[in-house]
Amino acid sequence: MAYRHTIAATTYVFESLRDLLAKATPPRSGDRLAGIAAESSEQMIAARMVLADIPLKQFLNEAVIPYEDDEVTRLIVDAHDKPAFAPVAAMTVGEFRDYLLSDAATTEGLKRLSRGITPEMAAAVSKLMRNQDLILAAKKCRSITAFRDTIGLAGRMSVRLQPNHPFDDAKGITASILDGLLLGSGDACIGINPASDDPAMIGTLLRLLDELIARLEIPTQGCVLTHVSTTLDLINQGFPVDLVFQSIAGTEKANRAFGIDLKLLKEAHEAGRTLRRGIVGENLMYFETGQGSALSADAHHGVDQQTCEARAYAVARAFDPLLVNSVVGFTGPEYLYDGKEIIRAGLEDHFCGKLLGLPLGVDVCYTNHAEADQDDMDNLLTLLAAAGVNFIMGVPGADDVMLNYQSTSFHDALYIRDLFHLKRAPEFDDWLVRNGLADSTFRLSCDAARLPDFASRLIAQESAAI
């Protein structure tokens, strides 16, 4: 179906809903690389004016990727909750934006609505929003998940402690974990990106995390971010797996490039649940996403990268994850050229994920060849905290020496928690107090008398771990 709009005697024609969404997207290098971006600011505004008048129901009638060609489309259509959609079913995209920004859209109402919103609807309304709109609407959305602690409660923000090491060295990893714990990070999870894909090494790292968490009785969860098939094999061998990780994308073809499909994710999810390692909840999947993944795999089907990203959230939503992380600037300047594009994408991802009911965190990051710097990341971090982000990354010095990119540090988390008066997960805060790492008001205040004992317990067995 073609869509048209005339501005100053110039008629702009958009050949499909897919084309309309692409042309309405704020400028970014990935869509320019794909040849689907608006050719001018005027064309982009024309697309947005048309998009504002599109009924939300149209997204149920016109798929951006055909139903018969893509299992993610089939998941979106088949899982759509019509009763949940009913309150907004008569709205256009523009009216939906107005509703989200009104007092009528409450946290409780948006929670009930989330399963009735498709990723394409979320992406569409985000394209009509300024940054402040994305922040305000996302702030109303809350997704609470739990495994050994509770993540996403109001007034709290969690941190994934990311102790990566270029050689998977136990002492280096343990030192980074100690650094993070002393600075109040790790309540989202302690998650290692392994340098090796050797299952034996992955298993060793799993045992390292399991022994450390058990020895110190930390109310958090460990994760080694390896391919889901490797994790599944290790579960079947009896290794101690807390969280099942996988990178995902918004099209079937892109997921195949990752070596996965929905059937494999379901098998891994079910295997993880049989272990029953959660204490306060059973959310155990950890997904990572990022704009540009479908384009980099030549699997975008002409769909703009932000809409593809929102479709990845439909995949995540099917498995009730503990954590979903948009690694927003990791794909590089070919997809998000500079700080402005990264900031916009981070706010879009967070809004769309939260609107769809997901526990969205953001890796506030960039690669060293992007036109961005740490000041840009400070800006995005602050905006996301204002928007109620569930979690961020905690990387020693904000410089990941294994993945070779720039992220946020343990000290960045201290800054943002202090600025917005944010606490950690309640179980984790209580643990910090019990171990003398925080005072009775939950402010970090290491007890000098107890710290040596804590540190010695942490490093007691790391030398023999690998």
Side-chain angles (χ1 to χ4, degrees):
M1 177 177 176
Y3 302 87
R4 293 175 172 81
H5 189 79
T6 300
I7 298 178
T10 300
T11 299
Y12 294 93
V13 180
F14 308 98
E15 62 184 29
S16 63
L17 193 56
R18 176 178 58 205
D19 183 43
L20 180 63
L21 288 168
K23 297 299 190 292
T25 305
R28 65 204 57 200
S29 54
D31 292 338
R32 293 191 292 272
L33 178 65
I36 60 175
E39 296 177 1
S40 67
S41 296
E42 189 175 75
Q43 186 185 35
M44 180 179 67
I45 295 302
R48 291 181 186 177
M49 294 178 74
V50 175
L51 186 60
D53 291 333
I54 297 292
L56 290 177
K57 288 182 178 179
Q58 182 64 18
F59 293 92
L60 302 176
N61 300 324
E62 184 179 351
V64 297
I65 303 174
Y67 182 93
E68 60 273 13
D69 294 343
D70 184 86
E71 70 170 0
V72 177
T73 299
R74 293 193 289 274
L75 173 67
I76 292 167
V77 173
D78 296 346
H80 183 246
D81 188 330
K82 292 183 180 179
F85 179 59
V88 298
M91 293 183 185
T92 65
V93 177
E95 290 169 340
F96 186 41
R97 172 191 174 275
D98 293 344
Y99 165 74
L100 291 173
L101 298 175
S102 74
D103 292 339
T106 64
T107 297
E108 295 75 18
L110 292 176
K111 180 66 176 178
R112 293 191 296 270
L113 181 65
S114 62
R115 295 280 174 170
I117 301 302
T118 69
E120 291 84 358
M121 294 176 193
V125 74
S126 75
K127 297 176 193 298
L128 304 183
M129 290 178 156
R130 291 170 56 186
N131 286 2
Q132 65 175 249
D133 300 337
L134 296 171
I135 294 167
L136 182 61
K139 181 70 171 180
K140 299 180 185 184
C141 302
R142 189 170 302 143
S143 178
I144 300 169
T145 56
F147 190 75
R148 292 203 185 98
D149 58 359
T150 308
I151 299 168
L153 294 167
R156 298 179 185 269
M157 184 198 72
S158 296
V159 177
R160 170 190 156 193
L161 201 170
Q162 185 168 305
N164 297 345
H165 191 281
F167 306 113
D168 292 332
D169 177 72
K171 290 184 178 181
I173 289 170
T174 305
S176 293
I177 293 174
L178 174 60
D179 187 18
L181 292 174
L182 294 180
L183 292 171
S185 291
D187 53 334
C189 73
I190 302 174
I192 303 170
N193 295 89
S196 170
D197 58 2
D198 179 6
M201 177 60 74
I202 305 303
T204 300
L205 293 175
L206 284 169
R207 294 198 188 281
L208 171 66
L209 289 178
D210 180 59
E211 292 169 5
L212 186 151
I213 290 170
R215 186 166 63 248
L216 297 180
E217 300 180 328
I218 310 172
T220 192
Q221 32 285 326
C223 185
V224 179
L225 282 70
T226 189
H227 193 272
V228 66
S229 60
T230 301
T231 301
L232 184 57
D233 288 342
L234 292 171
I235 290 174
N236 292 333
Q237 294 176 43
F239 279 85
V241 173
D242 289 343
L243 304 186
V244 176
F245 168 81
Q246 183 55 47
S247 294
I248 57 173
T251 73
E252 178 180 351
K253 185 177 178 182
N255 282 325
R256 284 180 178 174
F258 284 138
I260 62 167
D261 57 20
L262 297 178
K263 181 181 178 182
L264 179 59
L265 293 177
K266 182 179 180 180
E267 183 181 358
H269 180 227
E270 292 174 350
R273 292 192 60 159
T274 64
L275 300 180
R276 300 187 181 280
R277 294 174 61 83
I279 296 175
V280 297
E282 296 182 345
N283 303 112
L284 57 83
M285 300 299 284
Y286 176 12
F287 294 115
E288 285 193 345
T289 67
Q291 291 194 28
S293 58
L295 175 58
S296 67
D298 191 25
H300 59 99
H301 298 272
V303 179
D304 68 274
Q305 66 182 36
Q306 190 250 334
T307 301
C308 280
E309 172 72 3
R311 285 168 55 91
Y313 302 152
V315 176
R317 187 167 61 176
F319 300 99
D320 296 320
L322 179 74
L323 307 167
V324 180
N325 178 29
S326 167
V327 193
V328 64
F330 187 72
T331 49
E334 298 83 3
Y335 307 96
L336 296 169
Y337 178 71
D338 56 14
K340 183 175 183 178
E341 291 188 6
I342 293 171
I343 289 169
R344 174 68 191 191
L347 295 175
E348 289 170 347
D349 294 352
H350 180 252
F351 161 76
C352 288
K354 283 292 189 66
L355 185 61
L356 293 168
L358 288 174
L360 241 291
V362 177
D363 189 345
V364 180
C365 65
Y366 64 101
T367 58
N368 287 313
H369 62 309
E371 291 294 322
D373 58 29
Q374 213 64 39
D375 285 338
D376 295 311
M377 300 305 102
D378 287 348
N379 293 342
L380 178 54
L381 173 61
T382 305
L383 295 173
L384 285 167
V389 70
N390 276 36
F391 67 97
I392 61 169
M393 300 297 108
V395 177
D399 185 358
D400 193 302
V401 295
M402 196 283 285
L403 292 174
N404 292 310
Y405 80 118
Q406 308 303 309
S407 186
T408 47
S409 71
F410 307 134
H411 294 84
D412 293 330
L414 293 180
Y415 146 72
I416 209 67
R417 281 171 167 159
D418 189 53
L419 180 65
F420 287 98
H421 308 290
L422 297 169
K423 295 181 180 180
R424 293 156 284 266
E427 301 87 349
F428 193 85
D429 259 343
D430 292 341
W431 175 82
L432 290 172
V433 174
R434 289 197 305 272
N435 282 275
L437 303 180
D439 61 25
S440 59
T441 67
F442 303 110
R443 292 187 66 85
L444 294 179
S445 178
C446 295
D447 186 332
R450 299 172 68 180
L451 183 57
D453 175 64
F454 174 82
S456 65
R457 284 186 290 134
L458 177 67
I459 65 176
Q461 297 177 358
E462 102 289 347
S463 297
I466 295 182

